[in-house]
Amino acid sequence: MVRLEWVASDDARMRDVCDLRHEVLMAPFGVARLDEWGDDDPASSHLLALDGERVVGYTRLIFQGKEAQLRHVAVAFDKQRAGIGTALIREACRTAAERGARRVWLNARLPAVPFYERLGFVVTSPEPFPAGRTGQPHVRMERLLG
């Protein structure tokens, strides 16, 4: 059974998060490993999805006043399409609202747009733009929190 857990940036399992982010978000695009993710940013909160002790999912929530940004949403390839990504996003949005955010936004790769739309996000950028280390086309998406 997968469980979600908020952790500090110095939690030992963040090493496993670096492995997961590289494997899922960078390696498929030929991006060399670089473990500088800015995890120690004091505005950031880190959410893990754990299957036993294995890190199988991750997202980072960065608070910016009345907004929060979701970054680095990653689910292990062998655990995708099992509801883990949905659980991560729902928990991150719940926590953002609880902490006073009125809006959550993210930059989504084009193939992920339908996933985020099912979770209440809408595309707000006029056209795709290259983003992150991969340069893959992304769009900005937002969700108002109630």
Side-chain angles (χ1 to χ4, degrees):
M1 182 112 196
V2 174
R3 72 183 190 284
L4 302 179
E5 185 177 332
W6 290 100
V7 300
S9 63
D10 62 353
D11 188 288
R13 293 169 291 185
M14 289 299 288
R15 287 189 304 261
D16 296 331
V17 167
C18 287
D19 294 341
L20 178 68
R21 287 185 290 200
H22 177 72
E23 176 186 323
V24 173
L25 302 176
M26 301 297 145
F29 302 99
V31 177
R33 178 120 186 192
L34 175 64
D35 285 342
E36 177 47 49
W37 297 91
D39 291 334
D40 58 355
D41 172 5
S44 295
S45 296
H46 306 278
L47 181 59
L48 308 182
L50 300 160
D51 185 4
E53 294 305 311
R54 179 181 171 216
V55 175
V56 295
Y58 170 80
T59 194
R60 177 176 172 187
L61 190 60
I62 304 170
F63 289 90
Q64 306 161 330
K66 294 293 182 185
E67 292 188 344
Q69 179 187 13
L70 277 172
R71 298 198 66 196
H72 309 142
V73 178
V75 174
F77 289 120
D78 67 320
K79 295 292 185 178
Q80 291 180 1
R81 302 203 188 297
I84 295 169
T86 297
L88 286 165
I89 300 303
R90 286 183 176 153
E91 172 61 13
C93 288
R94 185 198 65 74
T95 298
E98 185 177 271
R99 292 179 54 184
R102 295 183 183 144
R103 174 190 330 261
V104 174
W105 67 275
L106 55 86
N107 292 326
R109 291 185 183 154
L110 297 183
V113 168
F115 166 74
Y116 291 113
E117 286 176 332
R118 286 191 298 275
L119 292 169
F121 286 81
V122 296
V123 174
T124 59
S125 56
E127 59 187 55
F129 53 88
R133 297 176 191 169
T134 66
Q136 293 295 304
H138 286 65
V139 291
R140 180 178 167 123
M141 299 186 78
E142 298 180 1
R143 177 180 163 186
L144 295 177
L145 302 173

